Amino acid sequence: MTDGAGNLKHLSLGEVHDLAFNCLVANGCDDANAQAVADNMTAAERDGSESHGLFRLPGYVASLQSGKADGKANPQAEDVAPGVVRVDARNGFAPLAFEAGRKPLVAKAKAQGIAVLGIVRTFHFAALWPEVEALAREGLVAFACTSTMPFAAPAGGSKALFGTDPVAFAWPRPDGHPVVVDMATTAMARGEVMLAAREGHDVPLGVGLDGDGQPTRDPKAILEDGVMLPFGGYKGSAISMMVELFAGALIGEVFSFQAGEADNRDGGPSRGGELILAIDPARMGGDGDGIALGEALFEKMLDAGAAPGAVRLPGDRRYGNREKTPRDGVAIPGALYDRILALVGGPA
Ligand code: NDP
């Protein structure tokens, strides 16, 4: 149980991993799946991506308990074409499916300059940065996207159609961590809107519409019978549409609206696809030194603020946390910790 005062539970990263692994195994995962998801969740806690850390564990468990996701799935990679790998996740979670496709994707990208991985029949309930950062650490420029559930209306509309549809991009650097961008294509992540509803504060205009299709600041009105909106009006809406096409139609998977129709609403992730693209900068022509050339842009960006530190590179917040949490551990809400302990007891 938690200490009561402040109602936070302090955990080392090792304890986070053990908690996640044991909970997943108790609820039907085999060791390989539990290990992959627990690694992913621990990395999220380590980097301060709390909304994709232990917070997600009850959702993973719900999808195991309802029988929607297969915790013992053995994902299969298929060599479809010289530049294409396909992984059939067999109704399993995305982290192990990515592991199955990662090596062939890297090998193909390095052999010919570019390759794409399509993961189908998977449940993606995580941040996207682990995929693209892993590829950038192999020296590759990477892009990834996945669709979700119908939460957002296209620009001009008021009916839920698109998911929160995240996109991620990573660029290796000659020294130091890759630059990694990872963002939902809705104006605000759904978890943030839920948090605002729970804490009783408004969200900015542009985040969503109420049930009458009117712009609202009320997060409850957005969540209960309204819709979320893509960021940046028709521009973000176009990027959400691209994600739906890339992670859906292009790889023979469902759109968010179809995932929503098929989902059993157990509170866990919905089934869908993920597309990952890898480009080898050394094979792009020129003098093969594109990665070094990128440094000039980053230098100018960091120098473009009114004061030092005003501009930062995407990913640097996470890397900052990564320095601290192996030493200091993390704190999670006590109620979440108690809920997970109950789940470690296994299905009721
Ligand atoms: P944020 O808006 O918090 O951040 C988006 C990106 O912008 C990050 O790369 C972040 O880097 C960067 N960034 C933020 N602030 C600044 C700044 N001031 N200067 C420079 N860069 C900045 O992310 P979202 O809320 O949109 O998404 C959160 C997560 O949710 C993502 O990991 C996404 O993959 C995940 N998600 C997953 C879904 C799924 O179904 N699996 C669905 C939807 C979202 P940094 O990390 O360093 O802050």
Side-chain angles (χ1 to χ4, degrees):
M1 298 289 285
T2 50
D3 55 12
N7 208 19
L8 286 175
K9 175 70 184 173
H10 295 268
L11 299 169
S12 69
L13 294 179
E15 288 169 328
V16 167
H17 194 279
D18 288 350
L19 201 56
F21 181 86
N22 292 336
C23 186
L24 290 159
V25 168
N27 285 281
C29 274
D30 62 15
D31 283 6
N33 276 278
Q35 184 73 32
V37 174
D39 286 354
N40 180 288
M41 232 177 245
T42 307
E45 291 287 350
R46 178 200 65 198
D47 280 18
S49 300
E50 289 100 351
S51 58
H52 292 86
L54 290 172
F55 173 71
R56 294 274 155 175
L57 197 44
Y60 277 106
V61 169
S63 65
L64 290 166
Q65 290 185 349
S66 76
K68 185 171 72 180
D70 182 357
K72 295 183 169 59
N74 181 15
Q76 293 299 306
E78 182 191 350
D79 188 340
V80 176
V84 183
V85 189
R86 178 182 169 95
V87 170
D88 180 350
R90 296 181 162 181
N91 285 326
F93 298 126
L96 194 63
F98 174 63
E99 281 313 309
R102 174 177 161 169
K103 262 196 189 161
L105 175 69
V106 170
K108 282 176 180 291
K110 291 201 168 172
Q112 17 184 67
I114 185 164
V116 65
L117 166 64
I119 302 177
V120 296
R121 291 211 293 160
T122 195
F123 292 88
H124 204 297
F125 210 37
L128 281 179
W129 60 258
E131 283 95 310
V132 292
E133 185 184 330
L135 296 171
R137 291 196 183 278
E138 306 252 13
L140 301 168
V141 173
F143 168 85
C145 63
T146 186
S147 56
T148 57
M149 292 260 275
F151 296 131
S158 56
K159 291 182 191 154
L161 178 71
F162 295 153
T164 44
D165 292 358
V167 290
F169 160 78
W171 179 271
R173 301 188 70 184
D175 301 303
H177 297 299
V179 171
V180 176
V181 182
D182 178 16
M183 53 179 237
T185 53
T186 40
M188 194 177 258
R190 191 164 176 85
E192 296 293 323
V193 183
M194 290 164 85
L195 211 60
R198 204 158 59 219
E199 292 173 359
H201 60 76
D202 286 352
V203 296
L205 278 179
V207 168
L209 306 175
D210 64 19
D212 297 323
Q214 296 304 311
T216 181
R217 292 176 188 275
D218 178 358
K220 283 193 181 147
I222 296 170
L223 294 171
E224 278 162 18
D225 57 353
V227 284
M228 298 174 69
L229 290 172
F231 77 91
Y234 65 88
K235 295 186 180 183
S237 182
I239 296 179
S240 297
M241 180 184 76
M242 178 196 74
V243 172
E244 294 285 339
L245 291 168
F246 280 15
L250 185 63
I251 59 172
E253 253 297 351
V254 293
F255 297 118
S256 293
F257 79 88
Q258 293 163 329
E261 285 163 8
D263 194 69
N264 66 3
R265 313 282 157 176
D266 58 11
S270 58
R271 203 203 89 168
E274 178 178 13
L275 177 124
I276 303 173
L277 184 67
I279 302 171
D280 185 353
R283 306 295 297 272
M284 291 301 293
D287 60 6
D289 208 13
I291 292 306
L293 295 177
E295 293 301 297
L297 178 68
F298 302 140
E299 196 179 312
K300 284 284 182 195
M301 281 174 68
L302 294 173
D303 199 36
V311 176
R312 71 167 172 91
L313 297 177
D316 279 358
R317 178 194 60 86
R318 287 190 302 101
Y319 297 138
N321 288 328
R322 197 177 291 186
E323 300 276 306
K324 291 181 254 165
T325 52
R327 182 189 62 228
D328 300 344
V330 298
I332 66 164
L336 174 63
Y337 180 70
D338 291 343
R339 195 170 164 207
I340 293 171
L341 282 190
L343 292 174
V344 175

